[in-house]
């Protein structure tokens, strides 16, 4: 048996998020003997669907909905998690994945939108297809991977700093104004 993992998901639970893929994947892993705890923060139109999915899969012992969190509570949840999980059909950037990395938490996320621009083998796992089997493979891999959490935090904090983002934004504006 693998060591217990603690997973965390956070979001405004609505389209394009697809959290039930993660729940179905974790349920299959649970049935195979993988041990984990999943905490789910956030709110939104899918909240009741998430709660009923947890109940229908009989995952109440391993998955818990913790609701809306303050910024500080969300950061503590991320720092306490083995991995941050994010399944979505579409993203432009995914601030929540960037925040998890800044907290030093490795991320397992759908390879959509801007996420592949900053999520790599040194800070997490990209899930190439949003289906249960691909998520199962990614989560299984997470049980044997090791990440340098302080390094993840340092790199993400530098990458997403207001100075760096502001400088890049200014460069783009200047390029647009030249034309």
């Amino acid at each position: 048996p693998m060591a217990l993992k603690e997973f965390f998901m956070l979001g405004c639970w609505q389209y394009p998020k697809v959290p039930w893929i993660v729940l179905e994947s974790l349920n299959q892993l649970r049935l195979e003997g993988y041990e984990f705890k999943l905490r789910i923060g956030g709110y939104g139109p899918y909240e009741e669907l998430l709660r009923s999915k947890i109940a229908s899969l009989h995952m109440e012992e391993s998955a818990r909905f913790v609701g809306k969190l303050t910024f500080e509570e969300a950061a503590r949840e991320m720092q306490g998690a083995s991995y941050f999980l994010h399944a979505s059909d579409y993203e432009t950037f995914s601030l929540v994945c960037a925040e998890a990395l800044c907290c030093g938490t490795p991320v397992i996320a759908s390879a959509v939108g801007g996420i592949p621009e900053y999520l790599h083998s040194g800070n997490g796992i990209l899930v190439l297809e949003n289906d249960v089997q691909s998520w199962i493979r990614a989560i299984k891999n997470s049980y044997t991977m090791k990440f340098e959490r302080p390094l993840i935090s340092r790199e993400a904090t530098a990458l997403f700093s207001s100075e760096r983002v502001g400088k890049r934004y200014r460069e783009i504006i200047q390029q647009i104004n030249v034309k």
Side-chain angles (χ1 to χ4, degrees), residues 23 41 47 57 65 68 89 96 102 113 116 132 136 166 168:
L23 291 176
E47 184 176 340
L57 294 172
F65 204 99
K68 192 171 183 178
D89 279 338
V96 73
C102 288
V132 172
I136 287 172
R168 183 71 185 120

Side-chain angles (χ1 to χ4, degrees), residues 27-44:
N27 184 56
Q28 185 61 45
L29 291 169
R30 180 178 62 94
L31 297 174
E32 291 178 27
Y34 284 78
E35 293 186 38
F36 64 87
K37 294 288 184 195
L38 170 66
R39 293 174 61 80
I40 304 168
Y43 58 93

